[in-house]
Amino acid sequence: MTTTGLRWGILGPGGIAQAFANDLVLNGLTLQAVGSRRIETASAFAEKFGAPNVHSSYEDLVADPEVDAIYIATPHPFHAAQALLALEAGKHVLVEKPFTLNKPEAEAVTARARELGLVVLEAMWTRFLPHMARIREIIAEGTIGELRSVVADHTQHLPSDPTHRLNSLELGGGALLDLGIYPISFASAIFGTPAQITASATFRETGADASVASIFTYGDGRIATTFSAADAHGPNVASILGTEGRIDIDAVWYTPTSFTVYNNSDEVLETYTSTVVGRGMQYQALELERLVAVGELESDLLPHAETVSILGTLDDIRRQIGLVYPGE
């Protein structure tokens, strides 16, 4: 595994940032700094993961001359403004998914990154995992024939406390943006932007969505179905069906896991088991480092246009289910 020596700064040292920082350290990437609105939080995070630079504001973090790239791990409504803050300071940016709260924000961030000649990448870590790379190869080889369907779920039994971030509309909480982004991005990776979207949802008392089901159809008859829920735990598996076979991805499909390839007679053509150091979040960081090293601004695995398209799909689903965030 090759690193390029970029020095990383963490903006928003919450739970997901801890997982990311741990994977950086385990895999020899450089964790340089952390920034939080509370110096005590930043200091504790820095001590835990060995980051030498500590900042008590996001402005100071992005201004740090010893930081080359910023990882943004705050709640969704803050992603766009903080990504722009980092870009204006001349930093490359890895933004947690969902990339922004809506499509117009995603368009603004990606456009500004291009204008400044900086890398901005959505931290959809699943896209960069080794088992997904092998799945792309199998599809390209034609092993399962012409693709016809994608099925994926992301269901967890999460806290029902109305004061929890996950149930707060002000913080973009709910099943769609926190969980649904995974299977929806997966469908996009396989099939692209849907021609038609049909969605349905249930809601918590706070107005946040508790579950969302979607059907995506495409111009040539392909179909993707996704289901996400924050109030019930399901199998968390995924399948890709083709005319000559299928790929069944085991739980938890969006993490480093195993999968099996079958033909139409249910004979096993291939099995794959992931071997990953840590949780696997280092691969998205390595992709950003690679882009910087070769002078490219976008990843072929998740280009700006696709990130923007996915946000458009999420916006369309929200229109159908009547989900509006404060300030929109």
Side-chain angles (χ1 to χ4, degrees):
M1 187 176 296
T2 302
T3 63
T4 62
L6 285 189
R7 298 164 296 180
W8 286 88
I10 305 288
L11 192 157
I16 192 68
Q18 293 203 35
F20 178 76
N22 189 60
D23 280 350
L24 290 186
V25 173
L26 283 176
N27 289 278
L29 285 79
T30 303
L31 177 57
Q32 185 68 31
V34 58
S36 174
R37 291 170 297 180
R38 296 180 65 250
I39 189 64
E40 298 85 1
T41 302
S43 296
F45 188 98
E47 182 177 358
K48 181 175 182 178
F49 296 105
N53 301 5
V54 180
H55 300 285
S56 60
S57 74
Y58 301 145
E59 290 78 10
D60 287 348
L61 171 66
V62 301
D64 188 335
E66 295 184 329
V67 170
D68 305 303
I70 299 290
Y71 169 69
I72 295 174
T74 51
H76 323 320
F78 309 120
H79 288 180
Q82 291 165 349
L84 290 170
L85 179 72
L87 289 168
E88 296 297 342
K91 311 301 186 187
H92 305 288
V93 189
L94 180 64
V95 188
E96 258 308 325
K97 76 281 165 217
F99 185 71
T100 54
L101 199 62
N102 53 46
K103 182 179 180 180
E105 289 183 351
E107 291 174 327
V109 171
T110 54
R112 189 58 179 148
R114 287 193 297 271
E115 291 170 356
L116 294 171
L118 294 165
V119 175
V120 66
L121 179 65
E122 182 179 7
M124 173 45 71
W125 64 298
T126 304
R127 190 72 64 100
F128 308 99
L129 291 174
H131 75 290
M132 288 296 176
R134 179 57 190 145
I135 287 171
R136 288 190 292 270
E137 291 174 349
I138 292 167
I139 291 171
E141 291 162 0
T143 303
I144 62 170
E146 182 182 344
L147 302 187
R148 304 311 305 153
S149 178
V150 167
V151 180
D153 75 320
H154 186 182
T155 50
Q156 298 187 36
H157 192 269
L158 299 175
S160 59
D161 181 355
T163 65
H164 196 285
R165 180 197 70 79
L166 291 165
N167 302 312
S168 168
L169 284 181
E170 289 74 17
L171 295 178
L176 182 64
L177 295 195
D178 275 280
L179 307 179
I181 181 64
Y182 282 93
I184 289 168
S185 181
F186 181 56
S188 175
I190 305 301
F191 285 158
T193 303
Q196 184 174 356
I197 298 168
T198 304
S200 183
T202 63
F203 293 88
R204 295 193 188 273
E205 293 181 359
T206 62
D209 49 308
S211 64
V212 180
S214 70
I215 301 173
F216 303 151
T217 57
Y218 303 82
D220 57 0
R222 294 170 298 163
I223 295 176
T225 60
T226 77
F227 179 68
S228 301
D231 59 356
H233 180 73
N236 290 310
V237 295
S239 293
I240 305 168
L241 279 63
T243 55
E244 302 299 326
R246 72 182 189 275
I247 303 171
D248 287 346
I249 313 174
D250 299 323
V252 173
W253 68 266
Y254 55 83
T255 70
T257 188
S258 55
F259 67 78
T260 305
V261 185
Y262 299 91
N263 64 17
N264 284 337
S265 298
D266 279 335
E267 296 169 332
V268 174
L269 303 181
E270 179 177 334
T271 58
Y272 181 98
T273 301
S274 295
T275 302
V276 170
V277 177
R279 190 167 185 250
M281 301 186 76
Q282 68 272 18
Y283 293 99
Q284 58 190 350
L286 287 166
E287 176 65 0
L288 185 143
E289 293 201 14
R290 185 192 68 80
L291 293 171
V292 173
V294 300
E296 296 178 0
L297 299 182
E298 300 183 49
S299 172
D300 290 340
L301 295 179
L302 188 52
H304 292 171
E306 187 179 359
T307 287
V308 170
S309 170
I310 291 168
L311 263 297
T313 296
L314 295 172
D315 288 353
D316 195 339
I317 291 172
R318 290 201 292 118
R319 281 191 291 270
Q320 292 191 34
I321 65 176
L323 178 59
V324 179
Y325 299 116
E328 285 192 310

